[in-house]
């Protein structure tokens, strides 16, 4: 008889102290949720769709960045379908949008903090979130920083989900930038 329990790959337990120090408490919880989701889904790495799913579930400021309930519901629908193994089929493949040539070129805080359990696109998005917070003068990146970084990578899985859910990723990134400039949403999320 064949064992039907899926084998969950072991992810290394990275030293995340330096990365966690550069994230808001809320964004650190998002990362933990994405890691848990990847393990539960049997994926080898955290990808941008895991991050997007965890962001939407956990961060009210991220949910507010969308154009309303129906749009958010469509995006969540695709993410839920994906997590139950239906719809968008990425399991077992590594996400690499080409946003970064190789992981070693990433921001050292991300690279040295255990991104071996992250897809290159997810690591790039986190580096982008850290850079966005730094440019704003904040020591810690928040959920909106990560959402903006995800929305700007047109080749990542998160943007594929957004587009299928009827979201214009460029408009979303611009709306986040405008709202942050005007102080509409808290950057820390």
């Amino acid at each position: 008889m064949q064992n039907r329990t899926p084998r969950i790959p072991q992810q290394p337990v990275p030293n995340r102290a330096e990365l966690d120090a550069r994230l808001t408490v809320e964004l650190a919880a998002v990362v933990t949720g994405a890691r848990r989701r990847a393990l539960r889904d049997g994926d080898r790495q955290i990808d941008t769709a895991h991050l997007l799913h965890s962001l939407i579930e956990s961060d009210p400021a991220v949910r507010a960045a969308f154009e309303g309930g129906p749009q958010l519901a469509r995006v969540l629908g695709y993410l839920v379908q994906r997590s139950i193994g239906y719809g968008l089929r990425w399991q077992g493949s590594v996400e690499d949008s080409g946003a970064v040539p190789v992981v070693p070129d990433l921001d050292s805080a991300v690279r040295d903090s255990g991104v071996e359990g992250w897809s290159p696109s997810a690591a790039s998005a986190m580096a982008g979130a850290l850079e966005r917070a730094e440019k704003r003068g904040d020591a810690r990146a928040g959920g909106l920083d990560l959402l903006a970084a995800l929305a700007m990578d047109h080749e990542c899985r998160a943007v594929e989900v957004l587009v299928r859910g009827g979201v214009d990723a460029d408009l979303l990134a611009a709306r986040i930038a405008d709202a942050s400039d005007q102080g509409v949403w808290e950057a820390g999320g």
Side-chain angles (χ1 to χ4, degrees):
M1 183 170 196
Q2 191 175 22
N3 183 359
R4 296 200 183 274
T5 305
R7 186 181 150 286
I8 298 176
Q10 294 294 319
Q11 287 193 348
V13 180
N15 176 2
R16 299 182 313 263
E18 187 178 343
L19 177 61
D20 285 350
R22 295 187 61 197
L23 305 178
T24 61
V25 172
E26 296 82 5
L27 187 53
V30 165
V31 170
T32 299
R35 181 174 291 109
R36 199 172 28 249
R37 182 172 302 288
L39 285 170
R40 185 179 56 237
D41 291 350
D43 294 332
R44 295 181 312 179
Q45 297 178 322
I46 296 171
D47 68 23
T48 59
H50 294 125
L51 290 170
L52 178 63
H53 200 156
S54 191
L55 272 171
I56 290 172
E57 283 183 336
S58 304
D59 195 326
V62 166
R63 289 190 298 273
F66 288 87
E67 290 180 344
Q71 185 182 65
L72 192 56
R74 284 190 306 272
V75 170
L76 273 173
Y78 279 106
L79 289 166
V80 168
Q81 286 179 5
R82 185 241 183 173
S83 71
I84 62 173
Y86 179 78
L88 303 172
R89 302 215 182 255
W90 297 312
Q91 190 170 358
S93 64
V94 174
E95 174 187 37
D96 185 6
S97 68
V100 285
V102 236
V103 175
D105 291 339
L106 290 177
D107 176 272
S108 64
V110 175
R111 184 186 68 241
D112 296 338
S113 297
V115 296
E116 55 271 355
W118 295 50
S119 74
S121 296
S124 176
M126 187 57 72
L130 293 169
E131 181 180 317
R132 187 176 185 277
E134 228 173 67
K135 285 181 182 176
R136 194 177 55 250
D138 286 344
R140 296 175 182 248
L144 289 173
D145 295 317
L146 182 56
L147 181 60
L150 290 170
M152 291 188 289
D153 181 358
H154 291 203
E155 301 299 319
C156 76
R157 291 176 179 172
V159 168
E160 183 178 344
V161 169
L162 291 172
V163 168
R164 287 179 183 237
V167 177
D168 180 327
D170 290 330
L171 184 60
L172 177 63
R175 196 167 45 250
I176 293 168
D178 289 346
S180 294
D181 290 345
Q182 298 170 12
V184 175
W185 298 310
E186 276 188 42

